[in-house]
Amino acid sequence: MLYVAKRLAVSLLLIWVVATVVFMTLHMVPGDPAEVLLSTGGTSPDPYAVAELREKLGLDRPLLVQYAEFLERLTRFDLGNSLVDDYPVAEEIALRLPRTLELILAGTLIAVVIALPTATYAALHAGGAFDRAASATAAVLQALPVFVLGTLLILLLAQWLRWMPAGGYVPLAQDPGRHFLLLLLPAVAVAKGLAATVFRMARASVLDQLSRDHVRTARAKGLTQGRVMRRHVVRNAMIPVTTVLGLQMGTLLGGTVLVEYVFNWPGLSTPLLRAVEGRDYPMVVGIVLVVSGLFLLINLVMDLLYAVLDPRISRS
Amino acid sequence: MKRLLFPGALVASIVLVALAAPILGLPDPVRQDVSNRLAPYLPGSPLGRDEFGRDVLSRIIWGARASLGVAFTSALIAGIVGTLLGLIAGWFRGTVEFISVRIADVVLCFPPILLALLVVTLLGPGASTLILVLSILYLPGFVRVTYAEVLSAGRQDYVEAVRALGAPTPRILLRTVLPNIAGPVLVQFSLAVAAAVVVESGLSFLGLGVVPPTPSWGLMIRGARATMEQAPLYLLYPCLALTLTILSMNLLCDALRDAVDRKGGARAPRLRAVDRILPGLFPARDPAPLLEVQALTVEIATPSGPIRPVEDVAFTVRAGETLAIVGESGSGKSITATAVMGLLPPVAQVVAGIARFEGRDLLDLPEEERRKLRGGAIAMVFQDPMSSLNPVHRVGDQVAEAIRAHREVSAAAASQEAVDLLKRVGIADPERRARAYPHELSGGMRQRVMIAMAIANRPRLLIADEPTTALDVTVQAGILDLLAQLRRETGMGVILITHSLGVVAETAEEVVVMYAAQVVERGTVAEVFARPLHPYTRALLAAVPEGEAEPEGIPGVVPRPDSWPPGCRFAPRCSFATAACERPPLLEQAGERLVRCIRWKELA
Amino acid sequence: MALVVAEAVEKSFAPRGVFARGRPVRAVAGVDAQVARGEALGVVGESGSGKSTLGRLLLGLLDVTAGRVRFDGADLPKPGSAAWKTLRARMGIVFQDPFGSLDPRRSVGAQVGDGLAIHEGGADPARVAALFERVGLDPQRRDAFPHEFSGGQRQRIGIARALATSPDFLVADEPVSALDVSIQAQVVKLLADLRRDLGLAMLFISHDLPVVRHLCDRVAVMYLGRVMEEGPVTEVFARPLHPYTRALLSATPMLDPAKRATRIILPGDPPSPSDPPSGCVFRTRCAEARPECAETVPALRDFGGPGQRVACIRAEEIN
């Protein structure tokens, strides 16, 4: 329990640190932040526009006041308004976030369901044909950037074979079948990196456990092969895998931005990319904060799972 | 090293081609020629022209320059700054440590691409923005790797040794610490370069990285997507170039990592056991033996050919008796036990011999039969009780598991029986201890748990492999007493494997002395220790510091299993060796005993 | 005047880290010790007794939490100071682990010559060769790397490295514990020869009592950071006075049945050094303990044979 409380406190602290760093970035850039945001290439921006933006972002007030206000608004989930259309950032995110989450969830599920059994089987028959084929596939998948895989999937399955739609989105309520059909390819693309990493990690971890003394003890007890595998090999091998899974989520979240773009999936990446191009600072900050918070949350869950799996963590 | 060659050459050639781009005489990668838009092939343009009529091959090669340039520069910046920070943090600890490690942690709180997009929003796209972002992204990796390596290197005795010599700090860091952490840092560098290529291309693909018209693979894929229907090949070329580059870099990372790890592997003991031999001379003895091992030979396949860590070993154990197998590291005593138990690792194989247990040859039984014997009629206790227990299960459950593997009892009954067993092996407060995890117990208590697990199904033979070596001497006394008491109460036979002659003298009736995979002497403990026949046994006893006599070392070193001496394996270290010892000696009957020495009669 | 004198030295390790909780671990809790020139003091004890920490305190590799250590009449300088670095040349250390104590990436000759390079500006090859010969190794092999040597040979290299600057004081921290019996005796003999020939003051840390008996003049028995008993090896081994010393001696397996004592099995486990028992630290496992043992920490006092001292308030009654 103490461990859980401690871990929760650390996560809250980290969210505050992340928020502070994000707040600071604008002010760490040399020069007037408003000018920086409005400048394109070498031309200096219109001074009226600069003054207007400065007022809009509250840049004319003392830094500490801005910071306090920023944090205060954050506790109310008020992320400010878009510079482009004045639409509240939080509302835009609330609309888009569930779609992104769905994609992440589907991708993670596919990755874990495919990678874990494959890895265990490959480790048990290390050096065999299956192991070599699976390991080679993982290596190739790892080297294939998500947007390349996504683009190639479209080229092959949508463009040439015409088996799948090239992308898009239909709400679940409107047409569930079409919804999941459209989800499939992006989810596979999201899953690919994670699957490759989890496969390699789990395979190494199972191999490592197989050579441990306690597995020899389990065999010396006369346990059946199946029981040795379940209770003494796979169970223990999952411990390092959860850590890797948590850390990989950062890459996964980044990859999701690219996948959504490739497949026209209207998640967070659409407003994010539009905002980056349009230098819509509040929108970018809002999305970065929400996604980073999500990342920290996932890692919190992973850490708690880790503690459940490994009694040495929570009880010492 | 060999594994480094192929990916290394691949990466090197990619880098070389990229570097050589200006002197390859390629067409200008940014010159547009709308009239040849999407031309599949033109003289001088073997891969055709893109949507603006620019030469595709030239753009791929110049694109490599952009990608690799950004990746290497940022990895280099991150590497130098991060390694320095990590080095300082790990060595001086204190405030510097706190600041560097925390900064690294903060960067790791952000998903990489998101952090990159935030910076791009502020600074606008471009190569210099990319380099800045990527340097920040990969800094924590270097800080953490260096920091962890310095911490672990700092704990090494060889670093303390140089410190104890009074070496100035820079000398320690540069001469001793840095060379020993260079491997992991190099691996981190290659990982950072590969990851940077991925992020750079991803951002360029989104139109937020390298600014057009500068060629970049990410940008090329972005452009080719629009014309994918008319000219799918233009999409494939940059995809292929990008994937191949990353693949070869990843392969190089893996190979590097393996090469770096091998250093650690080489320092660990290379083989767990050695071998011993005993010829098939078996004096028939009264009560029928519980276990009778004959001509047992184990082979291990190594890259340089098979080695025999156990050769022609024979012994017998009777019920209620303790047989000690004694020998130095590498003598083959542990492998002998593991072979009898059927727990040899896959690389090791029994190539000859029998092990008759209660009339059945263990080595000839199907695996399912052997499994039923393991932990049932034959049980084993290992050297290191910490690693031999599963850290994630409660000890009571691990004992109960042994019970249920062999008997049809309910989970509740097995748990109760486990508590009783823990009590029997002398664990105070067994109900509470049964719910403990291994790390919550002391070393002596863990070994008692191992023993409880071993005796759970009333074995008739207990194999104890160095059961007290990892324990303190007062704890060892308790464990040896417990084993003796259990043997008296249950009448089981015990094989005790140990390197300690004192332990043998105090606990065993019979002893087998092994040297270099073979049995050199066998007999009752009283006789062998009072009148050793083999020069090795004699020398071993003389090396034990006890009594008034100065302990005498045996000159030379124990031979390695891949280079046994041709004749008598002890001859090179033996003070009685003669020319005749160059022929392999046989194990001879010497009264009630066996000895492998051609000169035993003269020396007796 | 002894060469090395420790007066009531104490060493506590505080838990590290921002969220660290718990008490500091007192590894050494008030120990007096002396080593004269040419003398070998054995320190025996089991894991957690603080014997290795004591060795590093006497070398000045660790700073004392309380008390003081004097070397050749002067207080040890602060670790890291210039005076401390100069003093390194007069002290040497030999480690337990023959694998971890040598840098795998440098030739053994370079490592043996380190002391000379640091303190005398350069390692004269002839002197390095002489050091190799002194410890019984072939000087031709000085360009080889540690992994090419066996465990016993590596220990010899470690000894040569410690001897390079002709130190007055050598701490040997379990130098033979990781070696096979037949090799142990070789290395013990080398250490005994060196001590005799060079007049070294030596602190020999070990859990192996018979080895200490052969190599040392005096022995100190440690338990949970304190010295339980101290005296000439002949006295202590022949007539152990402290209940812990007796248990330790009786637990050591003996080859000769005539020498075997009735084993005294200590109940329970050693207490944690972060939470030691009050009064006598051994009382929780001592068959002779009385309620008054919990009250005061027994001082090490003269009792028994010449030079023998024991920290037990009941020494008179039980002997």
PDB file of all heavy atoms in Angstrom, chain C residues 41-67:
ATOM      1  N   LEU C  41      47.753  -9.313  12.165  1.00  0.00           N
ATOM      2  CA  LEU C  41      46.548  -9.423  12.982  1.00  0.00           C
ATOM      3  C   LEU C  41      45.468 -10.063  12.120  1.00  0.00           C
ATOM      4  O   LEU C  41      45.162  -9.581  11.032  1.00  0.00           O
ATOM      5  CB  LEU C  41      46.103  -8.030  13.445  1.00  0.00           C
ATOM      6  CG  LEU C  41      44.730  -7.966  14.125  1.00  0.00           C
ATOM      7  CD1 LEU C  41      44.726  -8.721  15.436  1.00  0.00           C
ATOM      8  CD2 LEU C  41      44.300  -6.522  14.355  1.00  0.00           C
ATOM      9  N   GLY C  42      44.907 -11.149  12.610  1.00  0.00           N
ATOM     10  CA  GLY C  42      43.810 -11.785  11.889  1.00  0.00           C
ATOM     11  C   GLY C  42      42.496 -11.211  12.386  1.00  0.00           C
ATOM     12  O   GLY C  42      42.331 -10.978  13.573  1.00  0.00           O
ATOM     13  N   VAL C  43      41.579 -10.941  11.460  1.00  0.00           N
ATOM     14  CA  VAL C  43      40.242 -10.521  11.867  1.00  0.00           C
ATOM     15  C   VAL C  43      39.277 -11.560  11.340  1.00  0.00           C
ATOM     16  O   VAL C  43      39.193 -11.774  10.129  1.00  0.00           O
ATOM     17  CB  VAL C  43      39.893  -9.127  11.302  1.00  0.00           C
ATOM     18  CG1 VAL C  43      38.478  -8.737  11.701  1.00  0.00           C
ATOM     19  CG2 VAL C  43      40.868  -8.091  11.800  1.00  0.00           C
ATOM     20  N   VAL C  44      38.596 -12.254  12.221  1.00  0.00           N
ATOM     21  CA  VAL C  44      37.660 -13.278  11.765  1.00  0.00           C
ATOM     22  C   VAL C  44      36.249 -12.890  12.163  1.00  0.00           C
ATOM     23  O   VAL C  44      36.039 -12.145  13.117  1.00  0.00           O
ATOM     24  CB  VAL C  44      37.994 -14.680  12.327  1.00  0.00           C
ATOM     25  CG1 VAL C  44      39.364 -15.127  11.883  1.00  0.00           C
ATOM     26  CG2 VAL C  44      37.894 -14.701  13.837  1.00  0.00           C
ATOM     27  N   GLY C  45      35.293 -13.399  11.412  1.00  0.00           N
ATOM     28  CA  GLY C  45      33.900 -13.110  11.689  1.00  0.00           C
ATOM     29  C   GLY C  45      33.097 -13.584  10.501  1.00  0.00           C
ATOM     30  O   GLY C  45      33.656 -13.906   9.457  1.00  0.00           O
ATOM     31  N   GLU C  46      31.779 -13.613  10.643  1.00  0.00           N
ATOM     32  CA  GLU C  46      30.939 -14.086   9.547  1.00  0.00           C
ATOM     33  C   GLU C  46      30.392 -12.896   8.777  1.00  0.00           C
ATOM     34  O   GLU C  46      30.706 -11.751   9.093  1.00  0.00           O
ATOM     35  CB  GLU C  46      29.822 -14.964  10.131  1.00  0.00           C
ATOM     36  CG  GLU C  46      30.397 -16.155  10.873  1.00  0.00           C
ATOM     37  CD  GLU C  46      29.321 -17.050  11.448  1.00  0.00           C
ATOM     38  OE1 GLU C  46      28.793 -16.758  12.524  1.00  0.00           O
ATOM     39  OE2 GLU C  46      29.020 -18.046  10.788  1.00  0.00           O
ATOM     40  N   SER C  47      29.556 -13.165   7.745  1.00  0.00           N
ATOM     41  CA  SER C  47      29.029 -12.051   6.962  1.00  0.00           C
ATOM     42  C   SER C  47      28.314 -11.074   7.886  1.00  0.00           C
ATOM     43  O   SER C  47      27.610 -11.485   8.797  1.00  0.00           O
ATOM     44  CB  SER C  47      28.061 -12.533   5.885  1.00  0.00           C
ATOM     45  OG  SER C  47      27.812 -13.895   6.004  1.00  0.00           O
ATOM     46  N   GLY C  48      28.510  -9.795   7.631  1.00  0.00           N
ATOM     47  CA  GLY C  48      27.848  -8.783   8.447  1.00  0.00           C
ATOM     48  C   GLY C  48      28.572  -8.458   9.729  1.00  0.00           C
ATOM     49  O   GLY C  48      28.082  -7.671  10.538  1.00  0.00           O
ATOM     50  N   SER C  49      29.755  -9.020   9.944  1.00  0.00           N
ATOM     51  CA  SER C  49      30.458  -8.731  11.194  1.00  0.00           C
ATOM     52  C   SER C  49      31.205  -7.408  11.125  1.00  0.00           C
ATOM     53  O   SER C  49      31.634  -6.888  12.143  1.00  0.00           O
ATOM     54  CB  SER C  49      31.430  -9.860  11.530  1.00  0.00           C
ATOM     55  OG  SER C  49      32.428  -9.947  10.538  1.00  0.00           O
ATOM     56  N   GLY C  50      31.379  -6.862   9.927  1.00  0.00           N
ATOM     57  CA  GLY C  50      32.062  -5.573   9.789  1.00  0.00           C
ATOM     58  C   GLY C  50      33.553  -5.710   9.598  1.00  0.00           C
ATOM     59  O   GLY C  50      34.278  -4.718   9.625  1.00  0.00           O
ATOM     60  N   LYS C  51      34.034  -6.933   9.338  1.00  0.00           N
ATOM     61  CA  LYS C  51      35.480  -7.099   9.264  1.00  0.00           C
ATOM     62  C   LYS C  51      36.088  -6.422   8.042  1.00  0.00           C
ATOM     63  O   LYS C  51      37.148  -5.806   8.154  1.00  0.00           O
ATOM     64  CB  LYS C  51      35.850  -8.590   9.320  1.00  0.00           C
ATOM     65  CG  LYS C  51      35.149  -9.487   8.304  1.00  0.00           C
ATOM     66  CD  LYS C  51      35.457 -10.934   8.636  1.00  0.00           C
ATOM     67  CE  LYS C  51      35.094 -11.869   7.499  1.00  0.00           C
ATOM     68  NZ  LYS C  51      33.649 -11.861   7.131  1.00  0.00           N
ATOM     69  N   SER C  52      35.399  -6.482   6.890  1.00  0.00           N
ATOM     70  CA  SER C  52      35.936  -5.807   5.697  1.00  0.00           C
ATOM     71  C   SER C  52      35.913  -4.298   5.864  1.00  0.00           C
ATOM     72  O   SER C  52      36.834  -3.596   5.440  1.00  0.00           O
ATOM     73  CB  SER C  52      35.124  -6.174   4.465  1.00  0.00           C
ATOM     74  OG  SER C  52      35.381  -7.499   4.109  1.00  0.00           O
ATOM     75  N   THR C  53      34.834  -3.778   6.478  1.00  0.00           N
ATOM     76  CA  THR C  53      34.747  -2.329   6.706  1.00  0.00           C
ATOM     77  C   THR C  53      35.896  -1.879   7.604  1.00  0.00           C
ATOM     78  O   THR C  53      36.520  -0.844   7.360  1.00  0.00           O
ATOM     79  CB  THR C  53      33.397  -1.985   7.358  1.00  0.00           C
ATOM     80  OG1 THR C  53      32.361  -2.567   6.581  1.00  0.00           O
ATOM     81  CG2 THR C  53      33.201  -0.493   7.436  1.00  0.00           C
ATOM     82  N   LEU C  54      36.196  -2.668   8.628  1.00  0.00           N
ATOM     83  CA  LEU C  54      37.299  -2.315   9.524  1.00  0.00           C
ATOM     84  C   LEU C  54      38.595  -2.206   8.725  1.00  0.00           C
ATOM     85  O   LEU C  54      39.368  -1.263   8.895  1.00  0.00           O
ATOM     86  CB  LEU C  54      37.434  -3.366  10.632  1.00  0.00           C
ATOM     87  CG  LEU C  54      38.575  -3.104  11.615  1.00  0.00           C
ATOM     88  CD1 LEU C  54      38.322  -1.843  12.425  1.00  0.00           C
ATOM     89  CD2 LEU C  54      38.786  -4.291  12.556  1.00  0.00           C
ATOM     90  N   GLY C  55      38.812  -3.167   7.819  1.00  0.00           N
ATOM     91  CA  GLY C  55      40.021  -3.133   7.005  1.00  0.00           C
ATOM     92  C   GLY C  55      40.120  -1.845   6.207  1.00  0.00           C
ATOM     93  O   GLY C  55      41.174  -1.217   6.131  1.00  0.00           O
ATOM     94  N   ARG C  56      39.013  -1.412   5.622  1.00  0.00           N
ATOM     95  CA  ARG C  56      39.038  -0.204   4.807  1.00  0.00           C
ATOM     96  C   ARG C  56      39.172   1.051   5.661  1.00  0.00           C
ATOM     97  O   ARG C  56      39.703   2.066   5.209  1.00  0.00           O
ATOM     98  CB  ARG C  56      37.794  -0.155   3.926  1.00  0.00           C
ATOM     99  CG  ARG C  56      37.974  -1.056   2.704  1.00  0.00           C
ATOM    100  CD  ARG C  56      36.693  -1.393   1.994  1.00  0.00           C
ATOM    101  NE  ARG C  56      36.946  -2.219   0.814  1.00  0.00           N
ATOM    102  CZ  ARG C  56      37.288  -3.506   0.868  1.00  0.00           C
ATOM    103  NH1 ARG C  56      37.465  -4.114   2.032  1.00  0.00           N
ATOM    104  NH2 ARG C  56      37.481  -4.193  -0.252  1.00  0.00           N
ATOM    105  N   LEU C  57      38.708   0.993   6.885  1.00  0.00           N
ATOM    106  CA  LEU C  57      38.894   2.139   7.798  1.00  0.00           C
ATOM    107  C   LEU C  57      40.367   2.273   8.162  1.00  0.00           C
ATOM    108  O   LEU C  57      40.912   3.377   8.190  1.00  0.00           O
ATOM    109  CB  LEU C  57      38.068   1.943   9.069  1.00  0.00           C
ATOM    110  CG  LEU C  57      36.548   2.084   8.925  1.00  0.00           C
ATOM    111  CD1 LEU C  57      35.857   1.723  10.234  1.00  0.00           C
ATOM    112  CD2 LEU C  57      36.172   3.494   8.509  1.00  0.00           C
ATOM    113  N   LEU C  58      41.017   1.140   8.421  1.00  0.00           N
ATOM    114  CA  LEU C  58      42.427   1.200   8.805  1.00  0.00           C
ATOM    115  C   LEU C  58      43.281   1.679   7.640  1.00  0.00           C
ATOM    116  O   LEU C  58      44.315   2.304   7.833  1.00  0.00           O
ATOM    117  CB  LEU C  58      42.922  -0.171   9.272  1.00  0.00           C
ATOM    118  CG  LEU C  58      42.288  -0.732  10.553  1.00  0.00           C
ATOM    119  CD1 LEU C  58      43.085  -1.908  11.086  1.00  0.00           C
ATOM    120  CD2 LEU C  58      42.183   0.339  11.626  1.00  0.00           C
ATOM    121  N   LEU C  59      42.827   1.396   6.419  1.00  0.00           N
ATOM    122  CA  LEU C  59      43.554   1.864   5.238  1.00  0.00           C
ATOM    123  C   LEU C  59      43.238   3.326   4.920  1.00  0.00           C
ATOM    124  O   LEU C  59      43.896   3.940   4.099  1.00  0.00           O
ATOM    125  CB  LEU C  59      43.171   1.029   4.020  1.00  0.00           C
ATOM    126  CG  LEU C  59      43.810  -0.345   3.879  1.00  0.00           C
ATOM    127  CD1 LEU C  59      43.194  -1.073   2.703  1.00  0.00           C
ATOM    128  CD2 LEU C  59      45.308  -0.206   3.684  1.00  0.00           C
ATOM    129  N   GLY C  60      42.182   3.841   5.530  1.00  0.00           N
ATOM    130  CA  GLY C  60      41.764   5.190   5.195  1.00  0.00           C
ATOM    131  C   GLY C  60      40.978   5.259   3.897  1.00  0.00           C
ATOM    132  O   GLY C  60      40.736   6.337   3.365  1.00  0.00           O
ATOM    133  N   LEU C  61      40.560   4.107   3.354  1.00  0.00           N
ATOM    134  CA  LEU C  61      39.745   4.144   2.126  1.00  0.00           C
ATOM    135  C   LEU C  61      38.342   4.620   2.455  1.00  0.00           C
ATOM    136  O   LEU C  61      37.644   5.156   1.611  1.00  0.00           O
ATOM    137  CB  LEU C  61      39.690   2.756   1.491  1.00  0.00           C
ATOM    138  CG  LEU C  61      40.986   2.280   0.869  1.00  0.00           C
ATOM    139  CD1 LEU C  61      40.814   0.886   0.298  1.00  0.00           C
ATOM    140  CD2 LEU C  61      41.447   3.241  -0.211  1.00  0.00           C
ATOM    141  N   LEU C  62      37.922   4.395   3.688  1.00  0.00           N
ATOM    142  CA  LEU C  62      36.655   4.924   4.169  1.00  0.00           C
ATOM    143  C   LEU C  62      36.978   5.884   5.305  1.00  0.00           C
ATOM    144  O   LEU C  62      37.960   5.692   6.020  1.00  0.00           O
ATOM    145  CB  LEU C  62      35.770   3.794   4.706  1.00  0.00           C
ATOM    146  CG  LEU C  62      35.144   2.832   3.715  1.00  0.00           C
ATOM    147  CD1 LEU C  62      34.442   1.719   4.466  1.00  0.00           C
ATOM    148  CD2 LEU C  62      34.166   3.566   2.826  1.00  0.00           C
ATOM    149  N   ASP C  63      36.122   6.887   5.453  1.00  0.00           N
ATOM    150  CA  ASP C  63      36.320   7.838   6.523  1.00  0.00           C
ATOM    151  C   ASP C  63      35.566   7.340   7.752  1.00  0.00           C
ATOM    152  O   ASP C  63      34.456   6.831   7.625  1.00  0.00           O
ATOM    153  CB  ASP C  63      35.763   9.203   6.070  1.00  0.00           C
ATOM    154  CG  ASP C  63      36.503  10.332   6.742  1.00  0.00           C
ATOM    155  OD1 ASP C  63      37.421  10.039   7.539  1.00  0.00           O
ATOM    156  OD2 ASP C  63      36.172  11.489   6.479  1.00  0.00           O
ATOM    157  N   VAL C  64      36.157   7.474   8.927  1.00  0.00           N
ATOM    158  CA  VAL C  64      35.467   7.007  10.129  1.00  0.00           C
ATOM    159  C   VAL C  64      34.297   7.921  10.454  1.00  0.00           C
ATOM    160  O   VAL C  64      34.325   9.118  10.178  1.00  0.00           O
ATOM    161  CB  VAL C  64      36.413   6.951  11.350  1.00  0.00           C
ATOM    162  CG1 VAL C  64      37.447   5.870  11.188  1.00  0.00           C
ATOM    163  CG2 VAL C  64      37.054   8.302  11.601  1.00  0.00           C
ATOM    164  N   THR C  65      33.223   7.342  11.042  1.00  0.00           N
ATOM    165  CA  THR C  65      32.103   8.140  11.518  1.00  0.00           C
ATOM    166  C   THR C  65      32.455   8.709  12.886  1.00  0.00           C
ATOM    167  O   THR C  65      32.086   9.825  13.226  1.00  0.00           O
ATOM    168  CB  THR C  65      30.835   7.271  11.622  1.00  0.00           C
ATOM    169  OG1 THR C  65      30.680   6.572  10.400  1.00  0.00           O
ATOM    170  CG2 THR C  65      29.615   8.102  11.891  1.00  0.00           C
ATOM    171  N   ALA C  66      33.155   7.930  13.679  1.00  0.00           N
ATOM    172  CA  ALA C  66      33.629   8.405  14.989  1.00  0.00           C
ATOM    173  C   ALA C  66      34.913   7.659  15.309  1.00  0.00           C
ATOM    174  O   ALA C  66      35.203   6.627  14.696  1.00  0.00           O
ATOM    175  CB  ALA C  66      32.573   8.149  16.058  1.00  0.00           C
ATOM    176  N   GLY C  67      35.661   8.182  16.288  1.00  0.00           N
ATOM    177  CA  GLY C  67      36.929   7.565  16.655  1.00  0.00           C
ATOM    178  C   GLY C  67      38.037   8.030  15.737  1.00  0.00           C
ATOM    179  O   GLY C  67      37.849   8.936  14.924  1.00  0.00           O
TER     180      GLY C  67
END
